[in-house]
Every structure is written in structure tokens, then in C-alpha cells.
Amino acid sequence: MDAAPDAVLQARGRHGAHRPAARAEAAALAEVERQAAAVALQVLPCEDCGQEQAGGLCEVCGYRRQAEALTVEAGLVAAAWSADLDDSGAVAAVLVHVRATLQAAVRKVQDDFLGSAESGEVDADPLGTASVLAFGALQAVQEAVPAYRRRALAMLGRSDEAEVEAEARRAYRTEQGRRWFRHNPNGADALAAATKAADAARERTAQFLLAARVEWLREQAAARAEQAAAAPWTDRLPELAARPLDGAAAGAVIAWPPS
């Protein structure tokens, strides 16, 4: 009767002894597969420009993609407060204006770099120059985008939308009614604390509104892109022919650069 438990324990011991070795073998195999996948990825050309052995995306195109994503984001943030969201033309005008503003900032940064480069330096290392220019463009956009967001939050926070003001009034009354202010709810300390709480609530609500509006604009843009891709060219030709070629719609663009 006692032999059976001993045999089981011995078998478990043998299996337990093999577990560390099995884990080590599995880990080694996983590392080999990871390295093989990394090598395979490195030989892929760039998806955007075709540069060989770029790991699927070269450095320059990677910077450009990031800059483009941020440019679109800035445009949506600006449109979220300054345009009628139901008017696709007004939204498009804001996007065009923001893109032009950021492109001007990018050109200035790139011109400054090219103007300060040593004679022959640009031609001697074209790939390096392209990378520096693309990175400079990305930095220029990164520095500008927060201003658009601050502007949008400020404008939404000062708007008279019921949601913003209701939340601000609620926070004001809550803070003013706290027990340490009940003896003098209209005193300077109580009013200052209530005003601060209302401002914070207004900012939180503005952040929520901004996020919701930007998401709605993204969804609308995705839906339009899907419809355009599905529509045959014969249906799209009249629309394309009706578009102005001389920038006549520029008058609808909001002429404010963020500060």
C-alpha cells in the first residue's frame, strides 16, 4: 500500500526535474524565432518610399507619418470648437487652414536648417539630410499642436453650452456649501474656493466635449472616405468638376493662428 505513493512521488520528482529544462528550451526556441522575425523584418523595404532593408518603414517616412497624424489631429481640434460640425465645408476649411499654417512653420524650420548647412553638406549625405528635415518638420508640428488644444479648451470652457455651465454651477454650489464655509458661504474664502472648483469643472467638461467632438469628426471623415472609395468614378465626376480651382473657398477659413 505504501509503495504506490512512493512511486507517485518519484514520478513527480522526475517530471519536476525536467520542468526547468523544458522551460529553458522553450525560452531558447522563442528567442531564436524572435531573432529570425527581426531579421526578416529588417530586409523589408519601406512601405512609403520603397527604400530597401528599411524594416517596413524608413526613418524619414516614419517621421512624416507622425507629422501627418499630428497635423490631422490639430485640424480636428481646431474644427471641434470653431466650425459647425454639421457643415462639412466649414470643417474642411478649418482643416485646410490649419494644414497651411503648420506647413508654413515646417518650411521655416527646414529653410533655417538648409541655410545654416555647410557648403556641400546636403549633397554629401542626402539620406541624412532628409532625415534631419523630416525630424525638424515633426518637431515643428509637435510644438504647435498643444496651442491648438489649449485654444479649443479655452473656447469650449467659455462657451454657453448648457453642459459646461451646468457642471460649473454644480461644482460652485458644492464647494460653497461645504461645512467649513457654511458659517459664511459668501465670504471671500468660500467664493474663491467655489470659483476655483467651478473653473476646474468647466475645464473637465471642456475636455470631455473636445474629445467627443474630435471623435465624431473622425467618424464622419472615415464614413466619407468609405463612401468615396465605394462610389464609382462616373458618380464622382460632377462633384469633382464643380470644385473651385482658385481657392474661392478660402474666405470661409478662420483666420486665426494659435498663440
Side-chain angles (χ1 to χ4, degrees):
M1 295 295 294
D2 295 338
D6 291 343
V8 171
L9 291 175
Q10 291 175 3
R12 287 179 179 176
R14 289 194 297 272
H15 288 305
H18 289 306
R19 284 174 187 167
R23 285 197 294 268
E25 183 179 354
L29 180 60
E31 177 62 20
V32 169
E33 292 178 349
R34 187 194 65 78
Q35 292 180 0
V39 171
L41 178 63
Q42 290 175 359
V43 301
L44 291 176
C46 176
E47 295 179 0
D48 292 354
C49 69
Q51 178 182 323
E52 295 181 357
Q53 296 186 346
L57 188 68
C58 71
E59 186 176 59
V60 173
C61 292
Y63 292 147
R64 288 174 178 168
R65 282 193 184 186
Q66 293 179 63
E68 173 61 19
L70 288 173
T71 299
V72 172
E73 179 73 14
L76 295 177
V77 167
W81 73 266
S82 63
D84 180 356
L85 302 191
D86 293 324
D87 185 345
S88 60
V91 172
V94 175
L95 298 182
V96 169
H97 174 68
V98 170
R99 181 174 293 276
T101 301
L102 293 179
Q103 286 177 343
V106 166
R107 283 195 297 271
K108 183 180 185 308
V109 169
Q110 293 179 336
D111 289 345
D112 289 345
F113 168 76
L114 293 174
S116 64
E118 297 289 340
S119 178
E121 181 181 355
V122 172
D123 295 334
D125 185 11
L127 284 179
T129 299
S131 180
V132 170
L133 291 175
F135 182 69
L138 173 58
Q139 282 190 313
V141 176
Q142 285 176 329
E143 291 173 0
V145 166
Y148 285 96
R149 182 172 180 81
R150 287 193 299 269
R151 175 79 169 184
L153 289 174
M155 297 305 295
L156 289 174
R158 290 200 295 266
S159 71
D160 58 357
E161 288 200 26
E163 190 173 357
V164 175
E165 289 308 315
E167 188 65 25
R169 287 194 298 270
R170 190 179 300 112
Y172 188 98
R173 290 194 300 269
T174 299
E175 190 65 30
Q176 192 180 29
R178 294 191 186 279
R179 58 183 178 80
W180 47 83
F181 292 137
R182 287 176 185 170
H183 66 285
N184 188 13
N186 294 315
D189 291 342
L191 294 179
T195 300
K196 182 177 179 181
D199 290 341
R202 188 177 288 108
E203 182 177 356
R204 288 195 303 271
T205 307
Q207 291 174 344
F208 170 79
L209 288 175
L210 179 59
R213 291 184 177 195
V214 167
E215 181 61 26
W216 189 87
L217 287 171
R218 287 189 187 280
E219 292 175 356
Q220 294 301 305
R224 286 193 296 270
E226 185 176 350
Q227 291 174 358
W233 277 103
T234 53
D235 293 345
R236 297 178 61 195
L237 286 176
E239 175 191 351
L240 296 174
R243 290 184 180 178
L245 300 178
D246 57 354
V253 176
I254 297 173
W256 58 262
S259 57

